[in-house]
Amino acid sequence: MARIKIDYAKCTGCRHCEAACSLSHIEGIVNPKRSRIRVFSKGDAFYPVIAGPFTDAKCTSKVTVTVEGREFDECMLCRASCPIKPVFKEPDSGIPLKCDQCGEPADPQCVKWCASGALTLIEE
């Protein structure tokens, strides 16, 4: 099974992944709010997060995660869309968005357009 691996150290924050994802799902429209990947930033570092499953339950985890010496609220890096972090929802309808790796077989456009090599498709 293929999955997208993220190397946070390589992300430049260009957001080409967001544009490619939205174009892949809605022909002719670049709208990062419709993307199944979002790039968050903290200071001078960027953190791509790929949309995972939706849950209507509020998360009770309040864990701090350390990535390359920087501490983050686990919520920032969580893939789930939930009432606390509703970023992965269709802007017009509110329907939850989830990464589908651009079809079957997996052909994620975010990986194709990631010039920095932060996103790679790997087989497990």
Side-chain angles (χ1 to χ4, degrees), residues 19-41:
C21 179
S22 67
L23 264 173
S24 168
H25 290 88
I26 303 170
E27 189 174 329
I29 296 176
V30 175
N31 183 347
K33 291 182 178 179
R34 297 179 189 273
S35 175
R36 280 108 174 121
I37 185 169
R38 296 287 176 83
V39 178
F40 299 97
S41 63

Side-chain angles (χ1 to χ4, degrees), residues 3-79:
R3 73 175 182 89
I4 299 170
K5 180 181 176 186
I6 301 171
D7 185 341
Y8 297 105
K10 292 183 178 178
C11 183
T12 63
C14 71
R15 301 185 195 281
H16 288 166
C17 55
E18 293 177 348
C21 179
S22 67
L23 264 173
S24 168
H25 290 88
I26 303 170
E27 189 174 329
I29 296 176
V30 175
N31 183 347
K33 291 182 178 179
R34 297 179 189 273
S35 175
R36 280 108 174 121
I37 185 169
R38 296 287 176 83
V39 178
F40 299 97
S41 63
K42 183 172 183 179
D44 61 349
F46 300 96
Y47 301 92
V49 177
I50 298 169
F54 172 78
T55 177
D56 57 2
K58 291 181 180 179
C59 178
T60 58
S61 177
K62 301 294 177 203
V63 178
T64 300
V65 178
T66 303
V67 178
E68 296 183 2
R70 294 180 185 220
E71 291 187 347
F72 298 91
D73 176 336
E74 184 181 32
C75 181
M76 181 178 175
L77 302 178
C78 179
R79 297 182 56 214

